[in-house]
Amino acid sequence: MLDGVSLDQLRTFIAAADEGSFSAAGRRLRRAQSVVSQTLANLEGQLGVKLFDRSGHLPVLTDQGRALLADARAVAGDVDLLKARAKSLAGGLEPELSAAVDVMFPDAAFTHAVSAFQKEFPATLLRFDIESSAVIEPVLDGRCAIGVVGSWAQLPPQLSHEPLLTVRVPMVVSPRHPLASRRGRIPITVLAEHIQLSHIDPGDMTQVLAARAKYPKIWRLSHLGAKLAFLRAGFGFGGMPLHTIQADLASGALVEIMAEDSPPGGHVTEMTAIYRTDSPPGPAGRWFIDRLKQAQTPPLKRELTRSQPVSVAAQAARRRLSGRLAAAKRNQSR
């Protein structure tokens, strides 16, 4: 009977264990719940063990099911690796490459990679979506071959991932905002009294709920440009990728602040390339990922790497001093 165990049965077993219910496994596999239930019942009959306890509202793995789940993952993983190697050996160049990229990835690094890709693979159509957090789903359902996400994302087991680069995300406010005048680390209770400007995707409920629990006053803007405009206008505080606000920090249009629970040097997120393990990128996709790995975030200017932000008063004093020096030079030239 064991010879009749199929890869499809093992994948159904893994999906049901991961999702915690047969109906959720059905949605993941795009099958009816009844088909999932029957597939698992057949698998249990062939193995001669009970994989799930169905006495409660939701199925729960038995001790035998937990023991066999690791073996099922190993077998499915080996098959995925076999398929990946076979596709690589076939060496067929993709006629089209689609990618979903989170807005946190540096624009300059991405555009340079796109420009180089078009020169290297002129016959491959490159299309992409720039998303706010919603990157995993289009890769999972096959709409995009490659995704680029941040380290905050919860990656399902069907996806492989490779690190690309890191992005510093300082918390900033307008110099006119009440928080700009505070020195040192700011307590969470104080930050919670003000509006947090966020670009969390509403579909990522884990992030949404965590953010609301910490900062109840949240305005969500799906576009980084709109978020930056709101920050400059003094509507609230929020984190922004450093490469998008270096000019604002240098000019004083934005001021960096530090929450009491921020790590030394501020928050840093790692950007990662993802793709389905059972459908790895071909030659063009592989080249594109490697090109993104070569990208580097702009070097941090010395005045932006300090652990404490410059106060509004200090910035005003600097501007007054610069004005006096300029006036003195004009008088000397007369």
Side-chain angles (χ1 to χ4, degrees):
M1 294 292 289
L2 291 178
D3 290 339
V5 173
S6 68
L7 181 61
D8 178 69
Q9 289 175 322
L10 296 182
R11 292 196 189 282
T12 304
F13 173 34
I14 294 170
D18 289 343
E19 301 295 336
S21 77
F22 294 169
S23 59
R27 288 191 294 272
R28 171 168 148 181
L29 299 172
R30 298 183 179 180
R31 297 179 183 176
Q33 178 181 344
S34 58
V35 175
V36 172
S37 299
Q38 187 59 51
T39 300
L40 293 173
N42 293 340
L43 177 61
E44 289 174 328
Q46 289 174 290
L47 295 176
V49 297
K50 205 73 172 174
L51 300 174
F52 291 94
D53 179 358
R54 299 169 173 79
S55 60
H57 177 64
L58 294 173
V60 178
L61 281 171
T62 62
D63 292 339
Q64 298 96 324
R66 280 189 289 272
L68 290 174
L69 180 60
D71 295 328
R73 291 191 192 279
V75 171
D78 288 342
V79 172
D80 288 339
L81 181 59
L82 173 66
K83 292 168 64 177
R85 287 177 176 170
K87 182 174 181 179
S88 177
L89 290 172
L93 183 63
E94 308 96 310
E96 179 178 289
L97 179 66
S98 55
V101 183
D102 192 277
V103 292
M104 295 287 282
F105 195 84
D107 293 340
F110 186 68
T111 54
H112 290 161
V114 169
S115 177
F117 181 91
Q118 291 178 322
K119 295 176 182 177
E120 187 74 17
F121 300 96
T124 298
L125 174 63
L126 179 64
R127 61 181 181 85
F128 48 84
D129 296 316
I130 307 298
E131 301 283 355
S132 178
S133 303
V135 171
I136 294 177
E137 191 62 29
V139 177
L140 271 180
D141 63 23
R143 281 179 288 145
C144 291
I146 298 172
V148 176
V149 299
S151 52
W152 61 82
Q154 299 294 317
L155 300 181
Q158 308 99 294
L159 298 181
S160 294
H161 57 91
E162 301 180 25
L164 298 176
L165 52 75
T166 57
V167 176
R168 184 172 171 240
V169 188
M171 186 179 291
V172 295
V173 294
S174 163
R176 302 187 301 277
H177 193 279
L179 291 173
S181 61
R182 296 189 65 96
R183 292 196 171 192
R185 291 179 175 268
I186 304 175
I188 299 300
T189 53
V190 174
L191 290 172
E193 297 173 358
H194 300 273
I195 295 171
Q196 184 201 27
L197 301 176
S198 171
H199 64 277
I200 297 174
D201 189 274
D204 192 341
M205 289 308 300
T206 301
Q207 287 193 68
V208 171
L209 294 176
R212 285 179 179 169
K214 192 174 182 180
Y215 303 123
K217 299 178 181 179
I218 292 183
W219 288 2
R220 193 191 72 82
L221 302 107
S222 60
H223 192 277
L224 274 185
K227 181 179 179 181
L228 180 56
F230 274 46
L231 286 167
R232 289 170 175 163
F235 292 141
F237 70 93
M240 286 289 290
L242 180 59
H243 58 270
T244 65
I245 57 170
Q246 280 187 311
D248 291 276
L249 290 172
S251 67
L254 291 176
V255 178
E256 183 176 354
I257 60 175
M258 189 78 71
E260 63 179 353
D261 62 346
S262 296
H267 289 283
V268 174
T269 187
E270 182 177 67
M271 304 304 297
T272 303
I274 60 173
Y275 49 86
R276 288 186 62 101
T277 304
D278 60 0
S279 183
R286 180 72 266 162
W287 186 96
F288 191 63
I289 291 176
D290 291 339
R291 185 74 182 200
L292 291 176
K293 288 181 180 180
Q294 297 173 16
Q296 297 294 329
T297 52
L300 306 186
K301 296 181 180 179
R302 187 174 181 181
E303 65 269 21
L304 302 182
T305 59
R306 57 183 177 270
S307 59
Q308 301 296 340
V310 176
S311 68
V312 176
Q315 291 183 41
R318 287 182 180 178
R319 287 194 289 269
R320 287 196 297 271
L321 179 59
S322 297
R324 290 170 184 169
L325 291 174
K329 288 181 179 180
R330 287 195 298 270
N331 291 333
Q332 290 176 356
S333 63
R334 290 176 180 174

